[in-house]
């Protein structure tokens, strides 16, 4: 087993009798259906269906703990509080009380709260603890692990108020409920799926040469721009690519050669009829 502290992750705590119903109407996944000992991966969207933040929702007794990007937690508290109205719910930044870890290879033996990562079994476990845990891996090791699986990492791979969930694999990675009913941004998310409007996807890539900078343009052999680089490390990365350009790979970013690597979990419309 490998376990790593993720210092860039924080925790938002929701308490009160209406905490589940309150969050249910705002995020992309079914908070009311989370089984005991599990978590849900969900996103908060604009009313127009554009990504703002994503997080793991972890029931913990009388509270919900949201494992989120630490830098985003204060803004999430502020934004979610606008919708509180008469709901009996409190929201607070509890990042200083919890440490967030990721474990993979086996279940952690020592943890306050440990839940399977709901995206992929291979991803491992999300672990929250208030006293600290011994680690045998680094945050960089976990970054390599999630890049190998093709998992997006919040603002490192998605753009606030621009990205849509289906571009980031939220459908295949169990980040969207199609049956729970309305939530903020649900209309565009559903329309994109049912009308087949998706034109771009975040795709894992292998990089030969120097890792392109975040946002670097990727071009095909004819020099046409086909996408842009997102996060990357040690020859692995994610890139936002036009689906109609995938058959023209490999691509270039400066002197680097960038080759898409389609994981088994990913469903691409252009390949379904193959």
């Amino acid at each position: 087993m490998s376990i790593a502290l993720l210092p860039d992750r924080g925790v938002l705590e929701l308490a009160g009798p209406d905490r589940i119903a309150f969050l249910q109407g705002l995020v992309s996944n079914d908070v009311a259906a989370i089984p005991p000992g599990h978590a849900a991966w969900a996103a908060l969207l604009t009313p127009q269906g554009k990504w703002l933040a994503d997080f793991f929702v972890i029931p913990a007794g009388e509270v919900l703990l949201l494992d989120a990007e630490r830098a985003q937690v204060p803004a999430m508290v502020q934004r979610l509080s606008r919708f509180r109205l008469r709901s009996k719910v409190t929201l607070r930044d509890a990042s200083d009380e919890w440490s967030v870890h990721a474990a993979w290879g086996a279940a952690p033996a020592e943890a306050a709260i440990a839940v399977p990562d709901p995206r992929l079994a291979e991803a491992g476990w999300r672990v929250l603890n208030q006293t600290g845990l011994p680690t045998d891996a680094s945050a960089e090791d976990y970054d390599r692990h999630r890049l190998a699986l093709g998992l997006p990492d919040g603002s490192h791979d998605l753009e606030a108020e621009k990205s849509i969930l289906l571009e980031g694999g939220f459908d295949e990675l169990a980040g969207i409920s199609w049956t729970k009913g309305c939530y903020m941004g649900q209309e565009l998310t559903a329309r994109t799926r049912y009308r087949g409007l998706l034109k771009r996807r975040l795709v894992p890539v292998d990089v030969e040469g120097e890792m392109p900078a975040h946002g670097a343009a990727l071009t095909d052999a004819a020099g046409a721009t086909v996408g842009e680089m997102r996060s990357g490390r040690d020859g692995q990365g994610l890139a936002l690519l036009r689906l109609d350009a995938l058959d023209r790979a490999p691509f270039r970013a400066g002197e680097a050669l960038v080759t898409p690597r389609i994981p088994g979990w990913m469903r691409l419309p252009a390949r379904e009829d193959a």
Side-chain angles (χ1 to χ4, degrees):
M1 182 195 76
S2 298
I3 183 166
L5 174 67
L6 305 181
D8 291 340
R9 303 293 293 186
V11 173
L12 191 163
E13 180 192 277
L14 281 79
D18 294 339
R19 63 190 181 279
I20 294 175
F22 168 77
L23 199 61
Q24 182 80 328
L26 294 173
V27 304
S28 64
N29 218 332
D30 193 339
V31 179
I34 303 174
H38 289 74
W41 187 44
L44 178 66
L45 307 177
T46 68
Q48 295 75 33
K50 304 301 177 65
W51 176 90
L52 289 170
D54 61 81
F55 36 81
F56 300 93
V57 183
I58 304 172
E62 298 302 310
V63 300
L64 294 175
L65 301 176
L66 274 55
D67 163 2
E69 286 186 61
R70 179 182 285 265
Q72 291 185 329
V73 171
M76 287 173 57
V77 171
Q78 183 178 39
R79 185 176 290 270
L80 289 171
S81 294
R82 297 175 189 169
F83 301 98
R84 189 170 54 182
L85 302 176
R86 297 181 181 176
S87 297
K88 296 178 181 178
V89 61
T90 60
L91 303 93
R92 69 184 186 94
D93 185 345
S95 301
D96 291 338
E97 301 172 22
W98 294 93
S99 58
V100 179
H101 299 73
W104 62 102
E110 179 186 353
I113 300 173
V115 294
D117 190 313
R119 299 171 296 179
L120 290 175
E122 299 90 337
W125 297 70
R126 307 299 297 189
V127 184
L128 274 60
N129 186 277
Q130 291 184 305
T131 59
L133 293 173
T135 63
D136 58 4
S138 66
E140 292 76 18
D141 292 327
Y142 174 70
D143 203 37
R144 296 182 191 96
H145 174 63
R146 67 98 187 167
L147 285 168
L149 295 173
L151 301 177
D153 183 22
S155 62
H156 297 99
D157 295 303
L158 302 166
E159 290 185 279
E161 301 190 40
K162 292 184 178 180
S163 296
I164 60 176
L165 295 191
L166 272 66
E167 290 178 346
F170 279 73
D171 188 6
E172 299 102 308
L173 294 171
I176 304 172
S177 171
W178 300 108
T179 59
K180 75 162 189 170
C182 294
Y183 57 89
M184 190 163 61
Q186 181 263 350
E187 183 178 354
L188 179 135
T189 305
R191 187 166 64 244
T192 302
R193 181 196 194 201
Y194 294 118
R195 294 187 182 179
L197 300 176
L198 195 64
K199 304 300 182 185
R200 307 182 303 172
R201 281 294 304 261
L202 272 176
V203 177
V205 294
D206 294 324
V207 178
E208 297 179 40
E210 184 177 352
M211 181 63 63
H214 186 284
L218 304 182
T219 58
D220 63 13
T225 300
V226 298
E228 63 182 55
M229 194 69 194
R230 294 298 170 84
S231 65
R233 181 185 298 274
D234 298 336
Q236 301 180 107
L238 287 176
L240 184 67
L241 296 173
R242 283 172 29 202
L243 292 175
D244 62 4
L246 288 178
D247 60 359
R248 303 203 298 274
F251 307 120
R252 289 280 181 183
E255 297 300 315
L257 190 68
V258 180
T259 304
R261 172 177 47 83
I262 310 302
W265 60 261
M266 186 174 286
R267 299 191 301 270
L268 297 179
R271 293 172 176 252
E272 288 180 352
D273 297 329

